[in-house]
Amino acid sequence: MPGRVVDELALRGLTGQRLFAAAREQVVRHYQWMLRTDFLPRIVDPAIVDDVFTRGRRFFEAPGRGTPHGLHPTMPLEFSVAAYRLGHSMIRDAYQWNRVFTTTGPATLFLLFAFTGTSGNFDPGSALPDLDDPNSGAVDTLPTNWIADFRRLYDFTEADRPDLAPPTADGGNVTKRVDSLLVNPLTRLPAGTFDGRGSEIPEIQRNLAFRNLTRADMVRLAGGQQMAGFLGVPALTEEQILVGDRGASLESLTDAQKAAVTAATPLWLYVLREAEFHGGRLGPVGGRIVAEVFHRAIEGSRTSIVREPSWRPEFGPDARTFRMTDLLLFAFEGKADLLNPLGD
């Protein structure tokens, strides 16, 4: 997108430092608008997002509560260690990345790990490389036949581009519902994903859920019920915690363990359970944390649509709309061959 913005502003006569400054401001504002109006309402209850961005923050570095760390926004542990780890539940175990995988089968999550270069590299002539060894395999950069077909990752029909609909019966690679379930590959993380190479690793430490819950315990993170009390919202009931809504089963726990988890539910599990009862979006606890932290980050930016509420986007379909699909359409000039370089 930045290159397209520079081209557009250059046509208006801007050059040099003025062009750079103007382009940077436009890119930042458009990205913030996309976060506020498109991304956040998809993962957080829209009513919570609207409340935070129209009435302001009430809990995290809120006006009147002071900013103990100065003028720079901070990232609360409740956000980084729990609420914003919602994405772990949205990961699929395989992706139909482009037309190549229509015939060869989907790209597994382990192959995606391999192509990072920190968890082994892919060798087309052998079996799956040792994901704990970054030097295994032969290909240390992403192969050209792994270029993304963006039509399979985003729904361009929402931007009135039916010609860019994904060429798959299941609609492409739609993210999984936000809930308390994780796909099985996330129980076997490669050592390179957590700086564990060169040492003996207990298998349980490869489990992403275990790592999330352990980290929260290490920093003595508040539990879900404690956060609900702090935010002044009703807490989930014991039955909601234990049974959920199409989420992880806790039936294998002992009675003592069930009593412990319902009395002080780990915050990460709590916000995922909460989402199960809010249409797959973060609810009163998780949603409030995420929305307020994003609001504070945007407010504290050198360029901020929170501090400039009259600003409106100009590179979308109208003066109130700029979604991720609009960003991609603008960046790739709306051309199908740029959004999908490998073709059908």
Side-chain angles (χ1 to χ4, degrees):
M1 180 182 175
R4 280 294 318 279
V5 173
V6 168
D7 292 342
E8 288 286 330
L9 297 182
L11 293 175
R12 304 176 190 179
L14 295 178
T15 59
Q17 286 298 318
R18 291 181 58 211
L19 174 59
F20 174 81
R24 179 174 60 186
E25 289 182 1
Q26 284 284 28
V27 170
V28 170
R29 288 192 181 101
H30 278 80
Y31 188 71
Q32 291 175 349
W33 188 273
M34 183 269 292
L35 292 176
R36 157 68 180 94
T37 63
D38 184 37
F39 174 67
L40 284 176
R42 293 181 190 269
I43 64 170
V44 174
D45 183 339
I48 296 175
V49 177
D50 290 341
D51 180 68
V52 171
F53 278 84
T54 56
R55 296 181 176 85
R57 301 182 309 281
R58 293 192 286 127
F59 301 98
F60 294 94
E61 296 187 3
R65 288 177 176 260
T67 52
H69 299 284
L71 298 178
H72 298 292
T74 62
M75 183 182 294
L77 288 173
E78 295 83 2
F79 176 89
S80 61
V81 180
Y84 205 56
R85 296 191 178 212
L86 82 159
H88 294 163
S89 76
M90 301 166 71
I91 297 172
R92 303 175 69 89
D93 57 2
Y95 291 84
Q96 201 174 71
W97 203 248
N98 56 39
R99 68 171 177 81
V100 174
F101 300 96
T102 302
T103 55
T104 63
T108 66
L109 194 55
F110 283 127
L111 281 177
L112 291 172
F113 277 132
F115 282 137
T116 65
T118 62
S119 302
N121 295 305
F122 183 61
D123 187 341
S126 67
L128 191 67
D130 179 1
L131 294 187
D132 287 349
D133 179 7
N135 299 313
S136 66
V139 181
D140 59 3
T141 58
L142 196 66
T144 55
N145 65 353
W146 272 69
I147 295 175
D149 176 357
F150 282 106
R151 302 173 308 165
R152 299 169 188 254
L153 300 174
Y154 295 94
D155 180 13
F156 289 97
T157 62
E158 71 177 12
D160 296 324
R161 289 295 301 270
D163 58 309
L164 296 176
T168 56
D170 62 359
N173 300 295
V174 178
T175 59
K176 296 180 69 65
R177 169 178 175 255
V178 178
D179 55 28
S180 55
L181 293 171
L182 272 65
V183 294
N184 284 336
L186 295 179
T187 67
R188 305 187 301 277
L189 293 177
T193 63
F194 54 86
D195 197 27
R197 292 191 301 269
S199 61
E200 291 295 324
I201 307 164
E203 283 303 303
I204 188 62
Q205 292 188 14
R206 295 182 181 273
N207 189 307
L208 181 58
F210 174 84
R211 300 189 69 82
N212 285 345
L213 295 172
T214 300
R215 181 164 299 183
D217 186 63
M218 290 171 60
V219 298
R220 302 179 67 183
L221 194 65
Q225 292 79 5
Q226 186 178 357
M227 283 304 302
F230 172 71
L231 299 175
V233 297
L236 294 178
T237 66
E238 290 187 5
E239 181 179 5
Q240 288 176 315
I241 293 293
L242 291 176
V243 179
D245 181 13
R246 296 172 291 147
S249 173
L250 302 184
E251 278 304 307
S252 63
L253 299 182
T254 65
D255 289 343
Q257 290 170 335
K258 289 179 180 178
V261 80
T262 55
T265 309
L267 186 56
W268 177 61
L269 171 60
Y270 186 95
V271 299
L272 296 181
R273 251 331 182 219
E274 188 181 61
E276 294 174 8
F277 296 97
H278 287 83
R281 292 185 174 97
L282 297 186
V285 172
R288 174 64 61 171
I289 295 170
V290 169
E292 290 208 1
V293 171
F294 266 88
H295 182 276
R296 176 67 180 117
I298 294 174
E299 178 193 60
S301 173
R302 180 183 305 173
T303 301
S304 170
I305 63 170
V306 168
R307 299 200 315 273
E308 304 170 70
S310 62
W311 183 87
R312 293 295 181 270
E314 62 175 283
F315 298 129
D318 56 58
R320 296 197 62 84
T321 307
F322 192 75
R323 301 156 295 199
M324 186 63 192
T325 49
D326 299 312
L327 186 155
L328 290 168
L329 287 170
F330 178 76
F332 292 108
E333 303 174 18
K335 297 178 179 179
D337 60 333
L338 296 180
L339 289 161
N340 174 33
L342 294 184
D344 292 327

